[in-house]
């Protein structure tokens, strides 16, 4: 059996948590609409959140390392949020999600906070600070 620390670093675990948490949120955000609207929104958002989780960390690391100074501080979170916004809004629109803005509010907020905090931590370590 995996230890808790091994499981916490597993991409599969992170993807599963993202699928359940953000998919659950999307189903709730669309719950005033008839089925299968909430279910479709939940599956779409859960799937997108799992995939975004898989790639977001690597993208932030690459951009943070590539751009020095203040650009490297604000660019990775901005790209993360704008990329997520474009992907989520397009796919939810194509899927016919009834409450697109409500559905995306929590996942985009989580993306913004995660990308900013993770990027600042990377910058601190790169500058010789404690990680």
């Amino acid at each position: 059996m995996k230890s808790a620390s091994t499981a916490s670093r597993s991409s599969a675990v992170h993807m599963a948590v993202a699928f359940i948490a953000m998919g659950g949120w999307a189903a709730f955000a669309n719950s005033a609409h008839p089925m299968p609207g909430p279910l479709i929104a939940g599956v779409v958002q859960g799937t997108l959140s799992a995939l975004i989780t898989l790639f977001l960390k690597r993208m932030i690391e690459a951009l943070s390392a590539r751009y020095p100074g203040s650009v490297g501080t604000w660019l990775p979170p901005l790209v993360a949020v704008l990329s997520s916004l474009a992907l989520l809004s397009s796919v939810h629109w194509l899927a016919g999600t009834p409450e697109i803005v409500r559905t995306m509010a929590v996942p985009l907020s989580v993306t913004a906070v995660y990308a900013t905090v993770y990027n600042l931590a990377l910058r601190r370590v790169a500058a010789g600070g404690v990680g």
Side-chain angles (χ1 to χ4, degrees):
M1 188 154 132
K2 288 185 176 182
S3 71
S5 83
T6 303
S8 71
R9 287 179 272 169
S10 165
S11 292
V13 170
H14 284 245
M15 291 174 70
V17 169
F19 181 90
I20 292 166
M22 295 303 123
W25 163 255
F28 174 76
N30 289 277
S31 62
H33 296 274
M35 283 295 188
L39 181 61
I40 292 170
V43 170
V44 167
Q45 182 60 56
T47 302
L48 290 172
S49 291
L51 294 173
I52 288 169
T53 297
L54 181 62
F55 295 104
L56 190 64
K57 180 178 178 280
R58 292 181 187 141
M59 184 274 304
I60 293 167
E61 290 168 347
L63 288 176
S64 187
R66 182 175 176 140
Y67 294 99
S70 65
V71 173
T73 301
W74 60 261
L75 185 64
L78 180 64
V79 170
V81 170
L82 292 177
S83 298
S84 293
L85 174 64
L87 180 65
L88 293 175
S89 60
S90 299
V91 175
H92 278 296
W93 180 77
L94 289 170
T97 299
E99 300 286 343
I100 294 175
V101 174
R102 286 185 67 206
T103 300
M104 295 186 328
V106 171
L108 283 176
S109 298
V110 170
T111 296
V113 171
Y114 169 77
T116 301
V117 170
Y118 185 55
N119 188 54
L120 290 175
L122 290 173
R123 308 291 291 174
R124 184 174 181 200
V125 169
V130 177

